[in-house]
């Protein structure tokens, strides 16, 4: 009887406590649900904002990448342009050096323009006339040719002087130049070229001579013409040199 009463009492008390605490539990449960909902809402807002932030970041990166690419392209163009300008400058420098070298080669004490053909013909003429003789003979003959170029009575180019002849009589000013002569088959030696270049550099070695003759190889009449019409300067190695009176 007592045990039954005790169990009934405990059951009644438990029911009362449950009813007393129920509002509080409901409050805490509602509060927790509210907090959870707020957190979800906050997270949803965050998730909603993140895509916008990611989009802006991507656009910025793309813009920066494009700018970097454009800068790189500009740098490449500038580099290429600089290389082309450098190459052009090198070409211009080389051309200037070649022109300077050519001018130095063509520069001479007589101040006459000489082409490669003029120089070659002068070499060959001296070789064909006195190639077997000493240096002085070569200096004198080269001087005669160049003195003629400067004289008003003769052509004003080396080649013109070398090739000069009388079309009517067929007589050449320099006999080796006639058709089939030594001039056409000879090659100037180093010694001959050296002597000719020496005259071109230093000027006349012949006291102004414009003619020479080897009297033992010509007629008495031809030899007499030189003596009667020109001024004799000197004799060297079998040849007599003359200038106008």
């Amino acid at each position: 009887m007592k045990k039954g009463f005790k169990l009934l009492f405990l059951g009644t008390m438990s029911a009362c406590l449950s009813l007393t605490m129920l509002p509080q539990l409901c409050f805490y449960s509602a509060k927790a649900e509210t907090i959870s909902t707020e957190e979800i809402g906050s997270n949803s807002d965050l998730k909603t904002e993140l895509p916008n932030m990611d989009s802006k970041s991507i656009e910025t990166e793309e813009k920066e990448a494009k700018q970097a690419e454009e800068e790189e392209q500009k740098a490449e163009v500038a580099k290429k342009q600089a290389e082309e300008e450098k190459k052009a400058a090198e070409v211009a420098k080389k051309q200037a050096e070649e022109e300077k070298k050519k001018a130095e080669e063509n520069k001479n004490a007589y101040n006459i323009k000489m082409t490669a053909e003029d120089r070659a013909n002068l070499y060959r003429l001296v070789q064909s006339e006195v190639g077997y003789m000493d240096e002085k003979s070569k200096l004198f003959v080269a001087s005669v040719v160049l003195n003629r170029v400067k004289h008003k009575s003769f052509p004003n180019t080396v080649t013109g002087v070398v090739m000069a002849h009388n079309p009517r009589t067929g007589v050449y000013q320099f006999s080796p130049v006639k058709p089939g002569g030594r001039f056409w088959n000879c090659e100037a030696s180093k010694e001959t070229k050296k002597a000719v270049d020496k005259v071109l550099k230093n000027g006349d070695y012949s006291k102004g001579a414009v003619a020479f003759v080897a009297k033992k190889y010509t007629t008495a009449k031809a030899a007499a013409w030189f003596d009667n019409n020109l001024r004799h300067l000197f004799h060297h190695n079998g040849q007599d040199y003359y200038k106008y009176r």
Side-chain angles (χ1 to χ4, degrees):
M1 180 71 179
K2 288 182 180 180
K3 185 176 182 180
F5 178 79
K6 187 176 182 180
L7 289 173
L8 178 61
F9 177 78
L10 290 172
T12 301
M13 290 297 292
S14 296
C16 290
L17 286 172
S18 297
L19 291 172
T20 303
M21 295 178 65
L22 180 60
Q24 294 182 359
L25 289 174
C26 290
F27 171 78
Y28 287 122
S29 177
K31 186 176 182 181
E33 185 177 354
T34 301
I35 293 173
S36 178
T37 303
E38 289 176 355
E39 288 179 353
I40 291 171
S42 178
N43 289 337
S44 298
D45 293 341
L46 183 61
K47 288 180 182 179
T48 303
E49 291 176 1
L50 283 175
N52 293 332
M53 293 174 64
D54 291 343
S55 177
K56 290 180 181 179
S57 177
I58 291 171
E59 288 178 0
T60 301
E61 289 178 359
E62 289 178 350
K63 186 176 180 180
E64 289 176 351
K66 187 176 181 181
Q67 288 177 346
E69 185 178 354
E70 289 175 352
E71 292 296 329
E72 186 177 351
Q73 290 176 351
K74 288 180 181 179
E76 191 67 27
V77 170
K79 182 181 178 182
K80 187 176 181 180
Q81 186 176 359
E83 289 176 352
E84 290 176 352
E85 290 176 355
K86 183 179 178 181
K87 187 176 180 180
E90 289 175 353
V91 170
K93 182 180 178 181
K94 188 176 180 180
Q95 288 177 342
E97 289 175 351
E98 289 176 354
E99 290 176 0
K100 183 179 179 181
K101 184 179 179 181
K102 187 176 180 180
E104 287 295 328
E105 289 176 352
N106 293 331
K107 186 178 180 181
N108 55 78
Y110 289 84
N111 292 319
I112 58 176
K113 291 182 179 180
M114 288 188 65
T115 64
E117 182 185 15
D118 289 330
R119 187 180 288 270
N121 286 334
L122 182 55
Y123 285 154
R124 290 168 64 190
L125 178 69
V126 174
Q127 181 68 34
S128 62
E129 285 281 8
V130 290
Y132 59 95
M133 295 185 184
D134 61 3
E135 183 187 39
K136 282 187 177 181
S137 296
K138 297 172 182 178
L139 294 173
F140 296 153
V141 171
S143 295
V144 167
V145 175
L146 294 168
N147 288 341
R148 285 191 177 195
V149 175
K150 297 292 289 184
H151 200 282
K152 63 182 181 180
S153 299
F154 300 94
N156 61 0
T157 65
V158 170
T159 298
V161 167
V162 170
M163 302 296 176
H165 65 285
N166 187 326
R168 184 174 59 83
T169 63
V171 175
Y172 282 75
Q173 292 288 310
F174 300 98
S175 58
V177 182
K178 65 184 179 182
R182 293 188 304 275
F183 174 85
W184 301 103
N185 298 307
C186 74
E187 184 176 345
S189 65
K190 291 181 180 179
E191 292 75 18
T192 295
K193 291 181 178 180
K194 184 178 179 181
V196 171
D197 290 341
K198 193 172 181 179
V199 177
L200 288 170
K201 180 180 179 181
N202 300 325
D204 179 43
Y205 281 81
S206 68
K207 299 179 181 180
V210 293
F212 64 91
V213 61
K215 291 182 178 179
K216 66 179 181 179
Y217 295 118
T218 191
T219 64
K221 183 179 179 179
W225 184 91
F226 280 89
D227 289 327
N228 295 332
N229 293 280
L230 302 173
R231 177 186 170 189
H232 184 266
L233 294 172
F234 59 90
H235 177 87
H236 178 77
N237 207 2
Q239 299 193 121
D240 291 278
Y241 292 82
Y242 299 83
K243 70 183 295 185
Y244 284 107
R245 291 177 177 176

